[in-house]
Amino acid sequence: MTARTYRIAVIPGDGTGPEVIREGRKVLEVVAGQSGFSLAWQEYDLGGERFLKTGEALPPSVLQELRGVDAIYLGAIGHPGVKPGILEQGILLKLRFELDQYINLRPVKLYPGVWTPLRDKGPEQIDFVVVRENTEGLYAGVGGFLRKGTSQEVALQTSVNTRHGVERCIQFAFDYTRRRAKANKLTLCGKTNVLTFAHDLWQRVFDDVAKNYADIHTDYTHVDACCMWMVKNPEWFDVIVTDNMFGDIITDLGAMIQGGMGIAAGGNLNPEGVSMFEPIGGSAPKYTGQNVINPLAAICAGGLLLECIGQPEPARRVEQAVMQVTQQLKSLAAGKMGYSTSEVGDLVVKALNGSE
Ligand code: IPM
Ligand code: MG
């Protein structure tokens, strides 16, 4: 039998993106070798540099090629020389929308040995997943200006919530909660007391879909209270499902309680199509090229990628290896790890080889 080969598009991107992606690839190559499958990498130079040179963020021909791969592995998008929003909208959001990656999956898990700002909490208490809707809401780009630049200016930004979009997200969240089989609890995070149209729809769809999942406990929290509970009682959460904007906000809070941007990873999923995996920390221009940035978030994103392409056991081994390494680092913060970026990648490889 010939070994299965997966085609992975790599977008190292801007800033420290290429440094962390290099370590992620190193780790994925090792685990692929151990598990008897192979990865065919196709690299794309999307990002700020290319945009400044050519004026193109995401050429149609590249988008077309990306539609045909098994998964996308993304470093970071964001360049100090490009006005904020251009690259985010032109590359990251464009890929999410064009490839219909309607789920943003963000595990919030405190690994052993990692410092959290929550004084009385440990790995036992911080282990939940946020399922964020990823193609609608305030991100849909619906709105506009009236009388722009005058004292009577009006700016509208509309939250788009379709039954189809809300339903597939909530459906995914219920399935995911069942598959995760941890506490079998799904919490809807919204703002039904104020967003009486949009989140009324979310609540009704949630209640409808719940009828098919008698084994899953359901709960509801307003987003402001959610932030409070994530800090005070994170152990209450198993899976949280929420809209695009609220998901964006609470996942940065989640990243902080799990030890910071050095470890936080996410997946932009199209369960029926091409998904994209990224460390969520951004391009960190001030650390670029210094070999000090933490690659564990990118490595964890690689783990999520493996799970998504149908290699759950290798994905689990990557996570186990990361959990060994977090106990060896002085801190997860850039420049304070006690090791360089590439040394941290090597430690993960060593842990993988030790566990064979
Ligand atoms: C994220 C990021 C993006 C978002 C930005 C970079 C557009 O914050 O992935 O959470 O808002 O979705
Ligand atoms: Mg964000």
Side-chain angles (χ1 to χ4, degrees), residues 77 88 92-93 96 104 106 132 134 139 244 248 251-252 278 280:
I77 296 293
E88 291 87 337
L92 185 63
L93 298 183
R96 288 177 183 173
N104 195 314
R106 300 256 168 110
R132 163 186 171 190
N134 211 30
Y139 280 67
N244 208 342
D248 179 47
T251 53
D252 266 24
E278 49 172 342
I280 76 171

Side-chain angles (χ1 to χ4, degrees), residues 110-128 228-236 257-259:
L110 182 67
Y111 288 142
V114 175
W115 181 84
T116 173
L118 304 188
R119 194 187 54 192
D120 301 325
K121 306 293 176 184
E124 281 288 294
Q125 286 82 31
I126 303 176
D127 181 4
F128 61 93
M228 184 175 80
W229 299 128
M230 277 171 68
V231 171
K232 189 166 183 295
N233 295 101
E235 66 278 8
W236 286 359
I257 67 172
Q258 73 178 124

Side-chain angles (χ1 to χ4, degrees), residues 30 321 324-325 328 344-356:
V30 169
Q324 280 182 40
V325 172
Q328 297 167 257
V344 173
D346 293 340
L347 287 175
V348 177
V349 168
K350 207 166 142 215
L352 277 171
N353 285 329
S355 71
E356 244 191 313

Side-chain angles (χ1 to χ4, degrees), residues 228-269:
M228 184 175 80
W229 299 128
M230 277 171 68
V231 171
K232 189 166 183 295
N233 295 101
E235 66 278 8
W236 286 359
F237 296 116
D238 179 18
V239 180
I240 300 175
V241 63
T242 192
D243 77 6
N244 208 342
M245 187 78 257
F246 290 171
D248 179 47
I249 297 166
I250 68 170
T251 53
D252 266 24
L253 176 57
M256 281 303 125
I257 67 172
Q258 73 178 124
M261 290 303 180
I263 193 79
N268 302 276
L269 312 184

